[in-house]
Amino acid sequence: MEEILTLVASPAAWIALLTLIVMEIVLGIDNLVFVSILTNKLPEENRARARTIGIGGALIMRLLLLSLLFVLVGLTDPIFAVFGEEFSWRDIILIAGGLFLVWKATTEIHHSVDPDVEEEIDPKRAVVMNFGLTIVQILALDLVFSLDSILTAVGMTPHLPIMICAVIVSVILMLVASGPLARFIEQNPTVVMLALGFLLMIGMLLIADGFGVHVPKGYVYAAMAFSGGVEALNMLARRTRKRKGQMH
């Protein structure tokens, strides 16, 4: 309790908290995009519930990792080496998560370009299967994104209360933003392909990180911001042409 009161009275602690919240939100963007794309494939009445469960799972996972900091630190210790390259449990988790993300993004891109003919199955059973599979996939990626997020938090501050507050605030903001983002992606089909491209890139970066090749996150987010800006101009141009077409 005394430590918490000391942190509350410390301007440095508040600066660390705000910085960490911003970092957590930035690191959570890719997770949020993934959740939005997956839940948009569900019936509309199930989407909000799936987003809540998925993002709530991210919160539980991150708090659980924070409560096991001593285990988390141990995840970075090498457990074996291949051709002189050492690998830890963190590396294995990142490589596995990256491979899953690359596979999922590639599958979704293929489905968008050349949709398969779906088999005739019972609609109620299909809804249950799709809902369950969506939650499993979201939670699987939550583990990877949460690990990256918590390791960043541990590197930025030694104070556990600050890390917990930052995680809770950032996940709540993600939950609030998930609905509008999902609707925006649904209403703009071209954004889906751009988002899948981002996920494909992030998957490759996770794999590279697992193999010890660290790409500065600033480059990644700058590329995403540039691509998003170009797509925003394309959307504006399409709306302008559509408005002029209606006037004529």
Side-chain angles (χ1 to χ4, degrees):
M1 186 66 183
E2 184 178 346
E3 180 187 0
I4 295 176
L5 292 176
T6 302
L7 291 174
V8 169
S10 170
W14 283 100
I15 293 173
L17 176 62
L18 293 174
T19 304
L20 195 51
I21 289 174
V22 173
M23 285 296 299
E24 291 292 319
I25 292 173
V26 171
L27 290 172
I29 290 174
D30 40 18
N31 194 6
L32 197 55
V33 171
F34 182 78
V35 170
S36 299
I37 290 175
L38 283 184
T39 54
N40 277 352
K41 299 180 70 176
L42 295 172
E44 190 170 354
E45 63 271 16
N46 292 334
R47 293 176 186 175
R49 185 158 59 101
R51 287 195 299 268
T52 302
I53 294 174
I55 296 175
L59 174 60
I60 294 171
M61 210 165 295
R62 293 180 189 192
L63 293 178
L64 183 61
L65 287 173
L66 281 174
S67 67
L68 299 173
L69 277 180
F70 65 96
V71 176
L72 195 63
V73 172
L75 290 178
T76 60
D77 296 334
I79 55 175
F80 67 90
V82 178
F83 299 115
E85 181 70 31
E86 295 181 333
F87 292 89
S88 64
W89 280 113
R90 172 186 177 273
D91 297 329
I92 294 173
I93 292 173
L94 289 178
I95 292 171
L99 288 171
F100 174 73
L101 202 54
V102 168
W103 168 78
K104 187 61 184 177
T106 303
T107 303
E108 292 296 329
I109 290 173
H110 175 73
H111 181 73
S112 298
V113 175
D114 185 21
D116 297 323
V117 178
E118 298 183 357
E119 297 180 2
E120 292 292 331
I121 58 176
D122 179 55
K124 291 184 179 179
R125 185 180 170 210
V127 169
V128 174
M129 288 174 58
N130 290 336
F131 186 85
L133 184 61
T134 297
I135 296 301
V136 169
Q137 292 181 82
I138 290 173
L139 293 179
L141 258 295
D142 275 345
L143 174 61
V144 179
F145 290 131
S146 295
L147 182 64
D148 190 30
S149 170
I150 296 305
L151 286 174
T152 300
V154 171
M156 289 187 64
T157 178
H159 302 295
L160 186 60
I162 291 178
M163 287 186 269
I164 292 175
C165 288
V167 166
I168 292 175
V169 171
S170 62
V171 172
I172 290 175
L173 291 176
M174 284 173 57
L175 186 60
V176 172
S178 64
L181 178 61
R183 286 191 292 272
F184 177 77
I185 289 177
E186 183 185 22
Q187 293 167 4
N188 298 275
T190 56
V191 175
V192 176
M193 193 62 69
L194 182 63
L196 289 172
F198 288 160
L199 293 178
L200 190 61
M201 177 179 65
I202 292 165
M204 293 301 298
L205 290 174
L206 289 175
I207 295 171
D209 198 2
F211 280 101
V213 180
H214 305 291
V215 179
K217 293 289 178 67
Y219 294 155
V220 179
Y221 295 125
M224 292 173 67
F226 178 78
S227 301
V230 172
E231 180 59 26
L233 291 175
N234 285 333
M235 292 169 58
L236 181 61
R238 286 195 295 269
R239 289 181 182 176
T240 302
R241 286 195 298 268
K242 183 178 179 180
R243 193 180 302 117
K244 288 183 177 179
Q246 290 174 346
M247 291 175 62
H248 293 293

